[in-house]
Amino acid sequence: EIVLANESARLGEIRHFVKGFLAEIRAPVEISQDILLAVGEAAANAARHGRREQGRSEVRVGVKLDGTDAVVTIADDGSGFDMDEVKSREQDGFAAGGRGLFLIQELMDSVTFETSARGTKVVIRHNVFPPGTPMSLGVARALHPSSQKRDT
């Protein structure tokens, strides 16, 4: 897990963290690109909409391999959002915003959103190894908890 100040200036660090994980498990390039695009959208949404009104806000990003799926969690500590409102904007071709969540859902095998007054957690999941394919040795290393990095 990586914990950073929830600022748009930190988006590159988030992508770099996830990219390192995907390289470690030797995920295919095409799938890695889709995951990184989805992570970038989710992290940008957290920086834009998931900040506390007062005080320092943080974003937490976790990565794990669950069977043959890469799972990335992005959590912020903002005030949450109304999913129905976002979905209604997606249907309006002229509305500003709301398409990032649609893009994430199109790119990933599974996406869950948990939103409350204490923040939003987005969990994205994508199969990185077709069923029955032998996994690389890098996967075994990825199954062990990686070192934690904390922003100070």
Side-chain angles (χ1 to χ4, degrees), residues 21-152:
F21 165 74
L22 294 169
E24 186 176 339
I25 65 169
R26 292 176 174 62
V29 172
E30 299 82 13
I31 292 172
S32 294
Q33 290 171 338
D34 286 350
I35 292 171
L36 290 171
L37 182 56
V39 165
E41 287 291 331
N45 283 341
R48 190 174 306 117
H49 307 292
R51 298 175 49 87
R52 290 183 188 160
E53 290 185 27
Q54 296 179 350
R56 177 187 163 114
S57 283
E58 293 181 332
V59 63
R60 290 175 168 69
V61 181
V63 294
K64 71 177 181 177
L65 187 65
D66 183 16
T68 60
D69 290 352
V71 180
V72 182
T73 303
I74 298 107
D76 65 52
D77 53 11
S79 59
F81 67 94
D82 181 351
M83 184 59 105
D84 291 333
E85 181 183 324
V86 172
K87 286 181 181 179
S88 70
R89 281 192 309 224
E90 285 176 359
Q91 296 171 354
D92 180 354
F94 298 105
R99 289 171 192 80
L101 298 181
F102 173 76
L103 179 62
I104 294 167
Q105 290 172 318
E106 287 297 306
L107 291 171
M108 297 297 98
D109 293 334
S110 169
V111 183
T112 59
F113 301 97
E114 297 174 22
T115 187
S116 72
R118 293 177 293 150
T120 299
K121 180 166 75 169
V122 178
V123 180
I124 63 173
R125 178 181 290 267
H126 199 298
N127 186 315
V128 291
F129 303 105
T133 302
M135 292 186 236
S136 67
L137 292 176
V139 173
R141 288 195 309 268
L143 293 175
H144 298 287
S146 57
S147 61
Q148 293 187 9
K149 179 179 177 182
R150 179 144 179 105
D151 178 21
T152 54

